[in-house]
Amino acid sequence: LIYLLSLRLLTRTKRREHITPVLASLHWLPVHFRIQFKILLITFKATHGLAPSYISALLMPYIAPRPLTSADQKLLHILRSRFTTKGDRAFSVVAPTLWHQLPLNICSVESVQHFKKLVKTYLYKQAFM
C-alpha cells in the first residue's frame, strides 16, 4: 500500500487513474512480482553461501537417484506441504518452486548484481508484456 501511495505521490497520479502504466514507465515491479524478486534473491544468496545459515538450512539441494544431465543446474528439492493455505506459502516450498521456473541462464549466473539485473528483467517482462 505504501509502495503504491509513494508512487502516486511521486508522479502526481490521481487516485482514480490506473497505476499499472505508471509502474511500467518507471520500470517498477508490481508488488506480487517484487515479492517474487526478493524470494529469488534470498534463494540465490542461500545457494551460493551468502545468506545466513538459518535460511540456507530451509533449502535442500536436489540429489538425483542416478546421474542426470541436469545435475549441474543447482536444482532444489521442493518440499510437500500438508496444508494448502499456509503450507504452500512457506519459504521452503515457495523458493524452490520459483527457482525452478527461472530460465537456466539466470540460475547459472555467479554474480549477485548480474543475477539481480537478469531476474528483474525476467519479472518485468512477465508483468508487463
Side-chain angles (χ1 to χ4, degrees), residues 75-94:
L75 295 176
L76 299 172
H77 180 70
I78 299 176
L79 298 175
R80 292 182 186 237
S81 62
R82 288 189 290 166
F83 303 107
T84 306
T85 54
K86 294 181 183 173
D88 288 344
R89 296 179 193 166
F91 179 78
S92 56
V93 176
V94 173

Side-chain angles (χ1 to χ4, degrees), residues 1 9-10 12 16-17 21-22 37 45 48 50 53 61 66 83 85 87 97 99-100 102-103 108 111 117 128-129:
L1 184 64
L9 182 67
L10 288 173
R12 295 189 178 118
R16 301 259 182 225
E17 294 178 25
V22 179
F37 174 78
K45 288 181 177 181
H48 287 80
L50 302 172
S53 59
R66 61 183 188 280
F83 303 107
T85 54
T97 305
W99 185 258
H100 290 202
L102 286 177
S108 61
S111 164
K117 179 182 173 187
F128 297 114
M129 294 181 187

